[in-house]
Amino acid sequence: MSEVVTYSREGNVGVITVNYPPVNALSHAVRSGLIAALEQGQEDSEAKVLLLVCEGRTFIAGADIREFGKPMQKPGLAELVETYENSEKPLVAAIHGTALGGGLEMALGCHYRVALNSAKIGLPEVKLGLLPGAGGTQRLPRLTGAQKALEIITSGEFVGAKDALALGILDVVDDGEDVKAAGLAYAQQIADEGKPVRRVRDLKDKIASDKGSDVFDQFRAVLQKKARGQFSPFKCVDAIEAAFNLPFAEGMKRERELFTECMDSPQRAGQIHSFFAEREVSKVKGLSKDTPVRDVNSVGIIGAGTMGGGIAMNFANVGIPVIIVEMKQEALDKGLGIIRKNYENSAKKGRLTQQQVEDRIALITGSLSYDDFKSVDLVIEAVFENMAVKKEIFAKLDAICKPGTILASNTSTLDIDEIGSATRRPEDVVGMHFFSPANVMKLLENVRGSKTSDEVKATVMAVAKKIKKVGVLVGNCHGFVGNRMLHRRGAEAMTLVNEGATPQQVDKVLTDLGYPMGQFAMSDLAGIDVGYRIREERRNAGEQVAPSWMDKLAEQNRLGQKTMAGVYKYEEGSRNPVPDAEVERIIEGFRKEQDISSREITDQEILERCMYVMVNEAAKILEEGIADRALDIDVVWIYGYGFPAYRGGPMFWADQVGLDVILAAVEKYHADVGGEQWKPADLLKQLVADGKKFGDL
Ligand code: 3HC
């Protein structure tokens, strides 16, 4: 008998228990153990009903993703589920934690399902570039009908136990906390009532009612917008449709074919890289797991602007009280008003109850005095990018805050060491760079100064987790990881427009790659003044920063969405960027002024110059130890800038393009365009010489 799956009996219920931490994934050992345990249950004449239950924090959370890409050892998952469904004794699955992917498919192979109230179910395969490949696309629609199955499978979102009960996916929800007790009670009831086996594959009602409906085509049309560029969501629809058009066994075959197509797609490789990268980033090189972490039970924020307000919401959302300090009452009132509006909007969309809105708002207090920061555990400064202002603020904080308060800056570019030098406690100073909109974007780029203590680094990483962000710890340099690369892309994009491209052509190349928005639409969202101020700051520091047509926009108060005109123009109440002839004139004027004759620029050149310039910079970032691993950079770009997860992040993408191809292009642009940005990174040259990839580092 395998150690990870055991069989025992309680009264007349045969209990099959999976115990394979951390998440009871269906590894080969678990799959074969489940077959052996089922056989024991069948042979046990005392067992009238069989119960499948898991130890630890969760029911089976899916196939073992670490086995993907390796040859599948028998029994396969679909075969395992079928064997369970074929059982002549009624089988009950008792669910706690999360029944996901192959885990839910196992539960659907059982004849009855009970779950704790706190449990969730889902088929998140689509988030790995896959579709449910063990009958999920064939069995779920037989319980829920087409529409719900389409929603659940193509979104990969989890469904709470109560909702799953209402959808017919579960039979019973138990309010207790002991899953085994809940399972045994339900199994006993089934034994007592002499209930028969009930196989999902034999259910016909929902299939009959949705057969031939146009729900599939309608859904595909919706996905064209929602899942633009993605492969697996569309394959999910095809597989679900097969459940309605084909007999069960043939539907299963169709599911297998489509699953294999997804498995072989580069998007699957990218998504799975993203999945593990997201988990790896929390394991910081050189920071031991036992590093003490400070309590953060109260937070102060300086600045009630867009960033400060968004940051405050993150803490209020998890029950941590926040004090926001502003200079003027008017600005404070405006900021607090926007926070309320944001929460109210979430309530309108049904994401929060009115009570939750009030509870969260009650946790956010406004103030005009830094004195209110005396006893907070963490202060995050979120004022505009100006070193002198930031230093003044940090000196004040140093004088007011209690010992042990973490002093963080939300700066997106500036030197954390210099900011820390304004205090007598640089070991408590750190960067916490949130991404706009800060209440939505999942990335938190935590920046270590040269003196930041390990305890503070560990604490800000723990804070990221607490407020449900993906924290990445990076080193200190201008722009850190994300913006340092973005600035390279931004400068290149601006130059491409100087040379003859239109802003909308550049943006289209980037959105075609899978970014949610292009460089210039993003500048309009963030505010043209942000980049302008950074360029000015660098010019003031004596750096050579070439003039740009975007400076002209800023100087004409075309600051982006907030002034309804930037690189694009905006209609009242719309965020949709509309090309503007006025901007064409500004660009033309700039070209004349700078004596630039414009030329035709191909999309391929735009792609190469926008992407390779970032990859080259990223190689330098790795060389300098600003990022510890290529995957840290991937995560920064996926969660901070919307780089498509199905491409695995820019470094994973670069590995797939081929570093030799990229180096050759970088060398060409170095010769043609020139500039520090195109100087090939030593690391890139070394990797190519060694025939290696970023992923091998
Ligand atoms: N296979 C292998 N390892 C897995 C795994 C899986 N399916 N799911 C999670 N893990 C690992 C994680 O990598 C992590 O490992 P680490 O500690 O070494 O970094 C550990 O389990 C804990 O995971 P989390 O840090 O994510 O823990 P959380 O408690 O935050 O979340 C979870 C738990 C909700 C289960 C989350 O891990 C998750 O969403 N997992 C993926 C679930 C999934 O996608 N299942 C479908 C798989 S595909 C499939 O089933 C195909 C089938 O249809 C044929």
Side-chain angles (χ1 to χ4, degrees), residues 339-399:
I339 293 175
R340 175 169 276 282
K341 215 170 108 199
N342 284 339
Y343 277 132
E344 300 277 355
N345 282 342
S346 297
K348 268 189 214 141
K349 289 178 190 149
R351 293 195 197 123
L352 291 179
T353 63
Q354 197 54 40
Q355 189 55 49
Q356 283 170 319
V357 171
E358 298 308 329
D359 291 348
R360 289 174 195 202
I361 287 174
L363 285 168
I364 303 177
T365 334
S367 162
L368 296 175
S369 165
Y370 281 32
D371 287 341
D372 289 325
F373 287 156
K374 262 194 185 116
S375 58
V376 297
D377 298 322
L378 164 69
V379 179
I380 304 172
E381 162 276 310
V383 305
F384 58 90
E385 293 290 77
N386 179 301
M387 182 55 91
V389 173
K390 292 200 191 257
K391 282 171 90 168
E392 204 184 307
I393 289 174
F394 273 73
K396 265 196 215 163
L397 291 176
D398 188 27

Side-chain angles (χ1 to χ4, degrees), residues 22-23 25 57-58 61-66 68 77 98 100-103 105 124-125 128 130-134 158 256 259 275-276 279-280 283:
V23 297
R57 65 205 241 203
T58 179
D64 191 335
I65 304 171
R66 292 181 199 276
F68 287 174
L77 197 44
T98 43
L100 302 177
E105 290 173 302
E125 285 87 344
L128 301 173
L130 290 170
L131 53 85
F158 300 172
R256 174 76 359 210
F259 181 80
F275 176 86
F276 284 117
R279 281 150 184 86
E280 278 303 302
K283 298 162 197 159

Side-chain angles (χ1 to χ4, degrees), residues 632-661:
D632 291 300
I633 300 176
D634 284 336
V635 172
V636 163
W637 272 81
I638 291 168
Y639 289 108
Y641 303 87
F643 190 92
Y646 61 82
R647 295 198 195 274
M651 310 311 277
F652 188 84
W653 175 85
D655 278 346
Q656 298 210 318
V657 171
L659 296 191
D660 51 345
V661 173

